[in-house]
Each structure stands twice: as C-alpha cells, then as structure tokens.
Amino acid sequence: MSNAVDDILNSLDMAQLADMVGASQSEVEQATAAALPALFGGLDANAQDPAGAGSILAALGPHDGELLDGGVDLGPVAAQHGEAITRHIFGSNEDAVYNQLGGYGAAGGLGGSLFRKLLPILAPIVLSYIMKQMTQRTGGSSSGPGGG
C-alpha cells in the first residue's frame, strides 16, 4: 500500500489541491498522506465482504485509470461523485473516519472539515489508481477474467 500512496502523492499537484480545499500546502500534504491509507483501508475492508467487493467493482467501472496519466489533473474530479464514493467506502463509519483523521497531525490535528473536503477529491483518484493497476496486470484489458 505504501507504494500506492507514494505513487499518488507524487502525482498530485499539492498547490492546486490546497487551493481547492482552502488550506495551506503543508496542511494538505500532511492530510493527504493520512487520508490515502484510510481510503485504501476502507476499500480493503469492503473487499472482505462479498457484497462490498461487488459494489467496489461497480464503483471502479467509470474509473479507467487515465486520471493519473501524466500527473493528476484535478479539474475533472467531481467532488459530488467523490462524496458518493466516500459514503460508499466508509458507510455508517464515515463521520468517525473524518473525526479520527481530523485529530491527526501536529499542533492538535488538522481538523475533520479539511478531510471532508479532501477525501471526496482523493477517492476518485484512488479508484482510478486501482483500476490502472488492475488493467496493467491484465495486459491492458479491463474486461475482467476471460475464458472461452
């Protein structure tokens, strides 16, 4: 997972992201480094449940991995779509996740409100990253396991 987090962190324009959420670049860097493992962890927890795994695959559908090509262009990332993804990933635990993340960081935490703005932007990026990894593993085809 740390490679995935590093890959995404290295592809993000932190200044653009900071402008989008109205926070300093250093706060956004710290928050993103904390938020990405939470998103991956939430997806992993969902994948353990057959119904959750199916819904993750459905959520992956519109994310073709191109969002990450040549660095992330945050322009097309729709926060409303991202909010639906975070609700889906965390379910009834969503508020608890924001509160827990909000307590993270130096000087008493970064605040849950920053994460409420940040996670919906990062969620589609994480799904695109996963989709890109899946399509690279399957030789460029995103059509799932074939046969016959």
Side-chain angles (χ1 to χ4, degrees), residues 16 49 82 115:
Q16 184 185 10
D49 170 36
F115 287 98

Side-chain angles (χ1 to χ4, degrees), residues 30 38 62 70 94-95 128 138:
Q30 284 182 49
E94 187 176 21
D95 286 337
S128 289
T138 59

Side-chain angles (χ1 to χ4, degrees), residues 42-50 52-53 56:
L43 284 166
D44 187 52
N46 271 324
Q48 304 308 314
D49 170 36
I56 290 170

Side-chain angles (χ1 to χ4, degrees), residues 58-73:
L60 284 172
H63 300 278
D64 59 10
E66 291 179 8
L67 188 60
L68 294 167
D69 291 345
V72 176
D73 177 10

Side-chain angles (χ1 to χ4, degrees), residues 107-127:
L110 296 168
S113 62
L114 173 58
F115 287 98
R116 284 188 189 276
K117 295 176 190 172
L118 192 58
L119 264 71
I121 296 169
L122 296 175
I125 295 167
V126 167
L127 289 181

